[in-house]
Amino acid sequence: MFYVLHVLLWVITCYCIHPSIAVNNGTYLQQRAKLLLTEHSMRTGGKIELTDKEKTVNTVLMNHKSEEIRHGKKTGFYPAALHFFYSKAYIEDSEIYDIVRRMPKGAALSLHDVTMVDVDWLVKNVTYRPNAYMCFDQTTGKLHFHFFNTLPMSQDCPWKTLESWRLAYGNTTEFDEVLYRHMTLNVPDPHKAYPTQNIVWQKFLDALDSATGLIMYAPVFKDYFYEALKEFYEDNVQYIEVRCLLSEVYELDGTTHDKDWIVETYSEVAEKFVKDFPDFSGAKIIYSVIRNVPKVDVGLAVKEAIRLHQKYPMHFVGFDLVGQEDPGHPLLYYLNELLYPSQQNPPIDLKYFFHAGETDWEGTHIDNNLIDALLLNSSRIGHGFAITKHPEALELIREKDVPLEVNPISNQVLGLLDDLRVHPASFLLANGYPVVISSDDPSVWGATGLSDDFYEVFMGVAGENADLATMKQLALDSIRYSAMTDTEKKAAVDLFNSKWMKFIDETIQKYVKKPVEIYDEFKEVEEITGY
Ligand SMILES: *[C@@H]1O[C@H](CO)[C@@H](O)[C@H](O)[C@H]1NC(C)=O
Ligand SMILES: *[C@@H]1O[C@H](CO)[C@@H](O)[C@H](O)[C@H]1NC(C)=O
Ligand SMILES: *[C@@H]1O[C@H](CO)[C@@H](O)[C@H](O)[C@H]1NC(C)=O
Ligand SMILES: *[C@@H]1O[C@H](CO)[C@@H](O)[C@H](O)[C@H]1NC(C)=O
Ligand SMILES: [Zn+2]
């Protein structure tokens, strides 16, 4: 009797606790499909139901993607695994890029004031304007530009007109290429040219310095911003937010404009652009200071930000600290200055948009910037590259719904990683964490708008299964996480939806010549027995 019971118990235990013993291949595949389906629904875009038309476009896109991946595995040349300087031409020549570029991408939320416009425009348009001067600094050898009426006395930099430089150089095409190279990082062999992060950052800052001399001339300043809006608009981005240093803008006679003038000018140019192109939602700016200045300067800048936000609430939306993070001061260093708004009675509402965790180091003061950014109630986090090393921060970004601004090409070019398939955002996208995609400083590496970065996300960061739903979700999220008011967001989403429908129809027209067999990610599960 006992024996029978014992055996019965044994049988029950085995079958209930270790069901795998009894599993046949059919149940196994069912369990497997269920797990994959659960994971699918967790990822960014996993909850979006595509319409039939969208499914058709998705199929076109996914067929090209599979083909690209197959080709990459065969040849070893896979663009999203390579440095952008090697892959740019190939990427921009692909059908996927064509679709991604025409796809409405919502908002670009992580950009900087002097790195939005194709440097070719600065060279071909701005350096040809009257009164443009240029020199190489006698001691540092760095290239400077400036517009003058009459030359300054200083001889540290032997200024000559661009016209005379060109004449002396002889070959204008080559001369213009020299200028282009000074304002970008583009080189044939980036690994050789930039063996360390510090070296690439130094060249990056030099490039910004050179360009700044051109851009901060008042007439150019206005044109530059208009041109930036136009480039993003043409890339099917409908709204931008820009981190601005608000550094002095000068006139030909040497007089300069203050921050109020700069904010007003940004607003006026953005409003003019929206008037010219009513299917654009506008632009807002975020005041940023470099993260190595003394505490007192950050204190003053925070107060200035409060004042400017109160004066221009619709266009001036917050504050940030920027620049290379590792050698800078951690956010904690400026704690008292940054707590100032929340310590007032009543607390003053100043939104923060901190760059934080743009580092390969773990456990350093800089790595902990992520924690401080979250405790300081940052509305978004620039990069947050280090987030996967911070389980509590991961919880918090979900709970507080604070998105990370992911800029894949920036991270690659500035030396944080090489192969974008292992970018930490793969984890975030697979788990549906709040993320927006942006391009940071596209002009400096020759990228355009958001399309190159969206390509890299689609083909590299987000993996083989990422599809049109993933990209639609990212585009919608960029509007949701912007600093627009609720009314503005609603209008922006309506605008987005009409652009999206147009894009779907146009893509079908361009790419679908005969009916396509709809792409089904889970088809492989049924075919798995072939393995
Ligand atoms: C330079 O840009 C300005 C404003 O963006 C434009 O009006 C002008 O036609 C351009 N000039 C040339 C030579 O391209
Ligand atoms: C100028 O340089 C370019 C590029 O090196 C070359 O193709 C072109 O022939 C040169 N033009 C003249 C007039 O020498
Ligand atoms: C952050 O937000 C929380 C919740 O609203 C608030 O209690 C806290 O005081 C804020 N902290 C700062 C530094 O603003
Ligand atoms: C499942 O296993 C049975 C029995 O071993 C076999 O005949 C059948 O082909 C298998 N089915 C699949 C889909 O592999
Ligand atoms: Zn940035």
mmCIF file of all heavy atoms in Angstrom, residues 95-113:
data_model
loop_
_atom_site.group_PDB
_atom_site.id
_atom_site.type_symbol
_atom_site.label_atom_id
_atom_site.label_comp_id
_atom_site.label_asym_id
_atom_site.label_seq_id
_atom_site.Cartn_x
_atom_site.Cartn_y
_atom_site.Cartn_z
ATOM 1 N N GLU A 95 18.454 51.160 -49.897
ATOM 2 C CA GLU A 95 17.004 51.341 -49.932
ATOM 3 C C GLU A 95 16.475 51.590 -48.527
ATOM 4 O O GLU A 95 15.529 52.353 -48.341
ATOM 5 C CB GLU A 95 16.308 50.107 -50.515
ATOM 6 C CG GLU A 95 16.223 50.087 -52.016
ATOM 7 C CD GLU A 95 17.371 49.296 -52.621
ATOM 8 O OE1 GLU A 95 18.230 48.799 -51.843
ATOM 9 O OE2 GLU A 95 17.423 49.181 -53.870
ATOM 10 N N ILE A 96 17.063 50.913 -47.555
ATOM 11 C CA ILE A 96 16.596 51.108 -46.179
ATOM 12 C C ILE A 96 16.752 52.575 -45.795
ATOM 13 O O ILE A 96 15.847 53.171 -45.216
ATOM 14 C CB ILE A 96 17.379 50.198 -45.212
ATOM 15 C CG1 ILE A 96 17.023 48.740 -45.504
ATOM 16 C CG2 ILE A 96 17.071 50.548 -43.759
ATOM 17 C CD1 ILE A 96 17.852 47.738 -44.771
ATOM 18 N N TYR A 97 17.885 53.147 -46.144
ATOM 19 C CA TYR A 97 18.094 54.572 -45.825
ATOM 20 C C TYR A 97 17.059 55.428 -46.538
ATOM 21 O O TYR A 97 16.519 56.375 -45.957
ATOM 22 C CB TYR A 97 19.512 54.994 -46.215
ATOM 23 C CG TYR A 97 19.836 56.417 -45.800
ATOM 24 C CD1 TYR A 97 20.249 56.711 -44.503
ATOM 25 C CD2 TYR A 97 19.727 57.474 -46.703
ATOM 26 C CE1 TYR A 97 20.543 58.001 -44.108
ATOM 27 C CE2 TYR A 97 20.020 58.778 -46.322
ATOM 28 C CZ TYR A 97 20.432 59.033 -45.031
ATOM 29 O OH TYR A 97 20.714 60.308 -44.645
ATOM 30 N N ASP A 98 16.768 55.093 -47.771
ATOM 31 C CA ASP A 98 15.769 55.864 -48.521
ATOM 32 C C ASP A 98 14.417 55.842 -47.803
ATOM 33 O O ASP A 98 13.756 56.868 -47.667
ATOM 34 C CB ASP A 98 15.635 55.293 -49.943
ATOM 35 C CG ASP A 98 14.497 55.961 -50.703
ATOM 36 O OD1 ASP A 98 14.612 57.181 -50.950
ATOM 37 O OD2 ASP A 98 13.493 55.294 -51.011
ATOM 38 N N ILE A 99 14.046 54.668 -47.310
ATOM 39 C CA ILE A 99 12.764 54.561 -46.603
ATOM 40 C C ILE A 99 12.837 55.303 -45.267
ATOM 41 O O ILE A 99 11.935 56.057 -44.907
ATOM 42 C CB ILE A 99 12.380 53.079 -46.404
ATOM 43 C CG1 ILE A 99 12.163 52.408 -47.770
ATOM 44 C CG2 ILE A 99 11.122 52.957 -45.545
ATOM 45 C CD1 ILE A 99 11.942 50.909 -47.719
ATOM 46 N N VAL A 100 13.942 55.096 -44.554
ATOM 47 C CA VAL A 100 14.098 55.743 -43.248
ATOM 48 C C VAL A 100 14.097 57.268 -43.394
ATOM 49 O O VAL A 100 13.520 57.982 -42.589
ATOM 50 C CB VAL A 100 15.400 55.262 -42.564
ATOM 51 C CG1 VAL A 100 15.751 56.138 -41.374
ATOM 52 C CG2 VAL A 100 15.254 53.808 -42.129
ATOM 53 N N ARG A 101 14.728 57.760 -44.451
ATOM 54 C CA ARG A 101 14.786 59.212 -44.626
ATOM 55 C C ARG A 101 13.404 59.791 -44.919
ATOM 56 O O ARG A 101 13.050 60.838 -44.429
ATOM 57 C CB ARG A 101 15.775 59.562 -45.751
ATOM 58 C CG ARG A 101 15.942 61.065 -45.942
ATOM 59 C CD ARG A 101 17.282 61.417 -46.551
ATOM 60 N NE ARG A 101 17.307 62.770 -47.110
ATOM 61 C CZ ARG A 101 17.496 63.873 -46.390
ATOM 62 N NH1 ARG A 101 17.678 63.803 -45.102
ATOM 63 N NH2 ARG A 101 17.488 65.059 -46.970
ATOM 64 N N ARG A 102 12.611 59.052 -45.705
ATOM 65 C CA ARG A 102 11.273 59.553 -46.014
ATOM 66 C C ARG A 102 10.290 59.340 -44.869
ATOM 67 O O ARG A 102 9.236 59.945 -44.824
ATOM 68 C CB ARG A 102 10.773 58.909 -47.300
ATOM 69 C CG ARG A 102 11.531 59.434 -48.555
ATOM 70 C CD ARG A 102 10.979 58.929 -49.860
ATOM 71 N NE ARG A 102 10.961 57.485 -49.931
ATOM 72 C CZ ARG A 102 9.907 56.737 -49.664
ATOM 73 N NH1 ARG A 102 8.758 57.296 -49.358
ATOM 74 N NH2 ARG A 102 9.981 55.435 -49.725
ATOM 75 N N MET A 103 10.661 58.479 -43.945
ATOM 76 C CA MET A 103 9.771 58.180 -42.817
ATOM 77 C C MET A 103 9.692 59.370 -41.841
ATOM 78 O O MET A 103 10.720 59.905 -41.452
ATOM 79 C CB MET A 103 10.324 56.960 -42.068
ATOM 80 C CG MET A 103 9.464 56.497 -40.919
ATOM 81 S SD MET A 103 10.231 55.072 -40.087
ATOM 82 C CE MET A 103 11.423 55.923 -39.084
ATOM 83 N N PRO A 104 8.488 59.774 -41.438
ATOM 84 C CA PRO A 104 8.391 60.829 -40.421
ATOM 85 C C PRO A 104 9.004 60.326 -39.113
ATOM 86 O O PRO A 104 8.676 59.232 -38.658
ATOM 87 C CB PRO A 104 6.881 61.033 -40.261
ATOM 88 C CG PRO A 104 6.258 60.427 -41.469
ATOM 89 C CD PRO A 104 7.160 59.313 -41.894
ATOM 90 N N LYS A 105 9.922 61.141 -38.551
ATOM 91 C CA LYS A 105 10.658 60.663 -37.380
ATOM 92 C C LYS A 105 10.329 61.448 -36.109
ATOM 93 O O LYS A 105 10.962 61.265 -35.084
ATOM 94 C CB LYS A 105 12.158 60.698 -37.683
ATOM 95 C CG LYS A 105 12.560 59.580 -38.678
ATOM 96 C CD LYS A 105 13.972 59.717 -39.200
ATOM 97 C CE LYS A 105 14.121 60.798 -40.239
ATOM 98 N NZ LYS A 105 13.448 60.519 -41.532
ATOM 99 N N GLY A 106 9.324 62.336 -36.211
ATOM 100 C CA GLY A 106 8.925 63.070 -35.012
ATOM 101 C C GLY A 106 9.905 64.161 -34.662
ATOM 102 O O GLY A 106 10.195 65.027 -35.481
ATOM 103 N N ALA A 107 10.468 64.089 -33.439
ATOM 104 C CA ALA A 107 11.287 65.181 -32.922
ATOM 105 C C ALA A 107 12.732 64.765 -32.707
ATOM 106 O O ALA A 107 13.008 63.622 -32.368
ATOM 107 C CB ALA A 107 10.702 65.642 -31.589
ATOM 108 N N ALA A 108 13.641 65.724 -32.911
ATOM 109 C CA ALA A 108 15.047 65.530 -32.533
ATOM 110 C C ALA A 108 15.260 66.316 -31.241
ATOM 111 O O ALA A 108 15.211 67.541 -31.250
ATOM 112 C CB ALA A 108 15.971 66.028 -33.638
ATOM 113 N N LEU A 109 15.488 65.588 -30.151
ATOM 114 C CA LEU A 109 15.492 66.247 -28.842
ATOM 115 C C LEU A 109 16.884 66.447 -28.263
ATOM 116 O O LEU A 109 17.048 67.096 -27.240
ATOM 117 C CB LEU A 109 14.639 65.439 -27.854
ATOM 118 C CG LEU A 109 13.176 65.248 -28.247
ATOM 119 C CD1 LEU A 109 12.431 64.459 -27.176
ATOM 120 C CD2 LEU A 109 12.486 66.586 -28.488
ATOM 121 N N SER A 110 17.902 65.860 -28.903
ATOM 122 C CA SER A 110 19.254 65.987 -28.364
ATOM 123 C C SER A 110 20.165 66.553 -29.443
ATOM 124 O O SER A 110 20.734 65.825 -30.239
ATOM 125 C CB SER A 110 19.741 64.602 -27.910
ATOM 126 O OG SER A 110 20.750 64.719 -26.949
ATOM 127 N N LEU A 111 20.245 67.889 -29.475
ATOM 128 C CA LEU A 111 21.049 68.573 -30.485
ATOM 129 C C LEU A 111 21.782 69.726 -29.817
ATOM 130 O O LEU A 111 21.397 70.164 -28.737
ATOM 131 C CB LEU A 111 20.147 69.143 -31.585
ATOM 132 C CG LEU A 111 19.300 68.158 -32.383
ATOM 133 C CD1 LEU A 111 18.362 68.919 -33.317
ATOM 134 C CD2 LEU A 111 20.184 67.209 -33.179
ATOM 135 N N HIS A 112 22.820 70.221 -30.498
ATOM 136 C CA HIS A 112 23.573 71.361 -29.962
ATOM 137 C C HIS A 112 23.620 72.500 -30.976
ATOM 138 O O HIS A 112 23.621 72.263 -32.196
ATOM 139 C CB HIS A 112 24.978 70.929 -29.572
ATOM 140 C CG HIS A 112 24.995 69.939 -28.444
ATOM 141 N ND1 HIS A 112 25.088 70.308 -27.131
ATOM 142 C CD2 HIS A 112 24.892 68.585 -28.446
ATOM 143 C CE1 HIS A 112 25.058 69.224 -26.367
ATOM 144 N NE2 HIS A 112 24.934 68.165 -27.139
ATOM 145 N N ASP A 113 23.721 73.716 -30.423
ATOM 146 C CA ASP A 113 23.552 74.926 -31.240
ATOM 147 C C ASP A 113 24.429 75.051 -32.494
ATOM 148 O O ASP A 113 23.955 75.526 -33.517
ATOM 149 C CB ASP A 113 23.718 76.182 -30.362
ATOM 150 C CG ASP A 113 24.935 76.119 -29.437
ATOM 151 O OD1 ASP A 113 25.726 75.157 -29.556
ATOM 152 O OD2 ASP A 113 25.090 77.025 -28.606
#
